[in-house]
Amino acid sequence: MKILGIETSCDETSAAVLDGDLNILSNVILSQDEIHAPYGGIVPELASRQHIKAISYIVSQALERSKLGLEDIDVLAVTQGPGLIGSLLVGLSYAKGLAYSLSKPLIPIDHLESHVYSAFIENRDIAYPVLALLVSGGHTSLYSLPQSLDFHLLAKTRDDAAGEVLDKIAKYLDLGYPGGPVIDGLAVQGDPARFAFALPQMSDGSLDFSFSGFKTAGLRKIKEFGLNRDHPAFLDFLAGFEFSIIKFLLHNLDRAVQAISPTSLILCGGVARNTKLRKAFEDYADRHKLRAYIPSPNLCTDNAAMVAALAVEKLRQGPDSGLDLSINAYPRR
Ligand code: KG4
Ligand code: ZN
């Protein structure tokens, strides 16, 4: 079986071909970072226009690199939501048209669930129950999966996502877009102990995240110390800010571990590329004798291989649902 996955939920145009054993035959990702960089964040209108320009070429590249033709594809899968509505509609409409013309089934895929399934591409035998921490530019969530495809949302962010806050602080400091990877690189040279940020406390005892307080406290410190690239405390600030976000993520992860006693932990989403977060997550799992699974960096940020991977699992669990041309995009869950 060969699956063609398509992903256009945000600012990456991606197409991938996987086989039924989750081997990646191709995974082509076209980033729009350069287009959005001058604005310090994603401009939805520009994102959807760029997807329209790129989608056809990216799909043909994915097929060419997999050395397959459209006639070899058995099933198509496409991200349905959540994401930017204009961006989602490009991939979804394209996939519907392709599936219709080929008379092939089309499987709609939830973007957040596909992030979690990105971990299975490199580790087919992750033991359940699973606790997944998804940290991206749009979401920060904890999921419990007692068994395959059985997603239970344990926690979400009540305001900004972790990646969003890193991007906004970087934008304020003129560090470029996306800011997460820039802060990751620079913070290595700083001392995280010099700037401490208090962890938010949920008065209702919920496992939910909240990152807007970090953003406000960070901006206040930047103003108070007059921080910029040339300031001697600049790298310490970035290290302390990043460290506090990671500490909060692991704090709530730990509370969820105590609550559901998982066998395996998954870390996924764009911020899962962060070198300190990866290390802290692995160290936590080691200390608690849990198995930790973190996808390779190129499978953490948005990509179509994870879309096809979740489709493979859905097909394994039940027959394909055919082609439903009434499938609609959803911006939010
Ligand atoms: O999952 P993703 O590609 O898109 C969403 O679904 O949001 O995640 C993008 C986010 C951005 O906020 C970006 O700054 C962040 O992932 N990111 C990182 C790193 N690489 C990407 N954050 C921290 N450290 C990194 N190395
Ligand atoms: Zn994503």
Side-chain angles (χ1 to χ4, degrees):
M1 185 178 56
K2 305 286 185 292
I3 303 100
L4 172 67
I6 294 176
E7 150 68 32
T8 63
S9 69
C10 195
D11 63 338
E12 264 94 23
T13 318
S14 180
V17 180
L18 266 67
D19 68 17
D21 294 321
L22 297 186
N23 294 307
I24 298 180
L25 308 183
S26 66
N27 185 24
V28 182
I29 305 164
L30 179 66
S31 158
Q32 301 181 0
D33 284 354
E34 278 178 25
I35 291 171
H36 302 289
Y39 306 94
I42 297 165
V43 183
E45 174 71 17
L46 295 181
S48 48
R49 282 171 190 265
Q50 175 61 18
H51 284 308
I52 290 172
K53 278 192 207 155
I55 185 80
S56 204
Y57 177 70
I58 295 303
V59 169
S60 69
Q61 279 296 301
L63 288 166
E64 196 177 316
R65 289 185 200 182
S66 69
K67 302 199 169 42
L68 295 173
L70 274 176
E71 65 283 1
D72 303 311
I73 299 298
D74 301 295
V75 180
L76 287 88
V78 65
T79 307
Q80 186 182 16
L84 299 172
I85 193 69
S87 292
L88 287 163
L89 282 170
V90 176
L92 187 62
S93 311
Y94 188 88
K96 276 190 202 175
L98 199 54
Y100 183 70
S101 67
L102 297 168
S103 299
K104 298 280 162 74
L106 174 64
I107 303 181
I109 294 292
D110 182 276
H111 181 62
L112 308 178
E113 294 181 359
S114 69
H115 266 302
V116 173
Y117 265 76
S118 63
F120 287 82
I121 297 173
E122 294 162 313
N123 300 281
R124 320 272 150 95
D125 311 313
I126 300 180
Y128 292 93
V130 165
L131 175 65
L133 173 59
L134 162 67
V135 200
S136 74
H139 296 85
T140 310
S141 316
L142 283 162
Y143 291 96
S144 141
L145 285 91
Q147 55 196 339
S148 177
L149 298 180
D150 189 12
F151 285 88
H152 297 260
L153 181 68
L154 296 180
K156 58 187 184 322
T157 179
R158 294 199 176 172
D159 37 59
D160 296 350
E164 189 181 352
V165 163
L166 290 168
D167 292 341
K168 282 181 179 161
I169 287 289
K171 179 182 178 186
Y172 194 78
L173 290 167
D174 245 345
L175 297 180
Y177 174 84
V182 182
I183 293 182
D184 188 5
L186 291 171
V188 178
Q189 306 159 54
D191 171 11
R194 186 158 166 196
F195 289 85
F197 296 88
L199 300 196
Q201 300 283 344
M202 290 297 157
S203 52
D204 59 2
S206 117
L207 288 172
D208 277 352
F209 296 99
S210 165
F211 290 96
S212 66
F214 283 115
K215 187 180 63 189
T216 313
L219 293 175
R220 204 180 302 128
K221 286 258 193 293
I222 292 171
K223 284 183 193 146
E224 185 186 330
F225 287 80
L227 296 174
N228 58 38
R229 271 179 189 275
D230 304 322
H231 195 287
F234 182 62
L235 298 177
D236 294 342
F237 165 77
L238 293 181
F241 190 73
E242 182 192 65
F243 176 82
S244 304
I245 286 178
I246 293 172
K247 195 168 161 192
F248 185 38
L249 291 169
L250 289 193
H251 176 74
N252 281 15
L253 175 80
D254 180 50
R255 290 175 57 212
V257 165
Q258 306 307 325
I260 67 160
S261 303
T263 302
S264 310
L265 299 178
I266 288 175
L267 175 65
C268 57
V271 183
R273 291 178 79 123
N274 184 276
T275 49
K276 277 78 79 197
L277 176 58
R278 295 173 83 90
K279 171 91 173 58
F281 191 85
E282 275 166 358
D283 289 349
Y284 174 86
D286 278 353
R287 279 199 308 280
H288 293 81
K289 309 217 168 352
L290 295 165
R291 276 174 273 172
Y293 299 92
I294 313 176
S296 299
N298 66 328
L299 293 175
C300 289
T301 26
D302 292 346
N303 67 88
M306 67 189 191
V307 175
L310 178 52
V312 170
E313 186 57 22
K314 288 192 166 200
L315 288 169
R316 218 178 264 160
Q317 303 277 327
D320 71 64
S321 45
L323 170 60
D324 177 3
L325 287 176
S326 69
I327 297 170
N328 228 327
Y330 49 87
R332 272 178 216 93
R333 258 203 166 148

